[in-house]
Amino acid sequence: MEATGQRASLTQLRRGALEYCVLALVSHEERYAVDLVGDLGRVEALVTSEGTLYPLLSRLRREGLVATTWRESEAGPPRRYYRITASGREVARAEARRLSHLLDLATASGLAPRRAYPVPGALAGHQPHRRRGARRAVRHLLSRHGDLHGAKG
């Protein structure tokens, strides 16, 4: 694959992972977009800006995957907080299965090295104490965000 095509493929993969991570982060509690940018920034591959995140959040809201609530702020204008919906939980579960399967296939085929990846639990504000393989990292994220399977939303 040529370098331009490879970059485009990696960009698409990153966008899909970013969408899943946003859904996972808002699955526990309502979250403010600036806080999401900070949490995502704890994982090097997910470092993003508000300029990337706000269009994604708007699309997720239009598609009914997240809902919003406005809250007054002591530091300025009201803030919009995001939370996952029942539809968003279904999409997040399906995406988690796809990502896990993709990592399994890539590792089994030798396309992905069996090197360490950061523990995705850092997304929830927990600092990783050790590094794990990609497959275990996804499983850790799924177990950490296991309430995606819950009925709340």
Side-chain angles (χ1 to χ4, degrees), residues 22-84:
V22 167
L23 289 172
L25 287 169
V26 299
S27 69
H28 296 291
E29 62 184 342
E30 290 184 327
R31 304 292 300 274
Y32 181 49
V34 173
D35 295 334
L36 291 172
V37 169
D39 287 345
L40 292 166
R42 291 186 179 132
V43 177
E44 184 179 335
L46 297 175
V47 171
T48 191
S49 68
E50 292 176 35
T52 299
L53 189 61
Y54 279 113
L56 171 61
L57 289 169
S58 290
R59 182 176 58 77
L60 294 174
R61 187 172 47 87
R62 283 191 312 273
E63 292 175 0
L65 304 179
V66 298
T68 61
T69 303
W70 286 95
R71 291 194 191 153
E72 293 296 322
S73 168
E74 296 176 9
R79 295 178 175 182
R80 183 179 285 201
Y81 284 78
Y82 298 84
R83 69 183 177 283
I84 198 165

Side-chain angles (χ1 to χ4, degrees), residues 16 18-28 56-57 59-67 82-98 142 145-153:
L18 185 62
E19 179 177 323
Y20 167 72
C21 290
V22 167
L23 289 172
L25 287 169
V26 299
S27 69
H28 296 291
L56 171 61
L57 289 169
R59 182 176 58 77
L60 294 174
R61 187 172 47 87
R62 283 191 312 273
E63 292 175 0
L65 304 179
V66 298
Y82 298 84
R83 69 183 177 283
I84 198 165
T85 63
S87 297
R89 272 184 211 289
E90 290 176 27
V91 168
R93 274 182 272 173
E95 188 62 23
R97 286 189 298 272
R98 278 190 289 274
L142 296 178
H145 296 289
D147 66 343
L148 285 173
H149 301 282
K152 284 175 60 177

Side-chain angles (χ1 to χ4, degrees), residues 92-123:
R93 274 182 272 173
E95 188 62 23
R97 286 189 298 272
R98 278 190 289 274
L99 287 171
S100 181
H101 183 69
L102 176 64
L103 286 172
D104 286 346
L105 288 174
T107 301
S109 69
L111 293 174
R114 290 189 171 263
R115 62 186 172 95
Y117 291 87
V119 175
L123 292 174

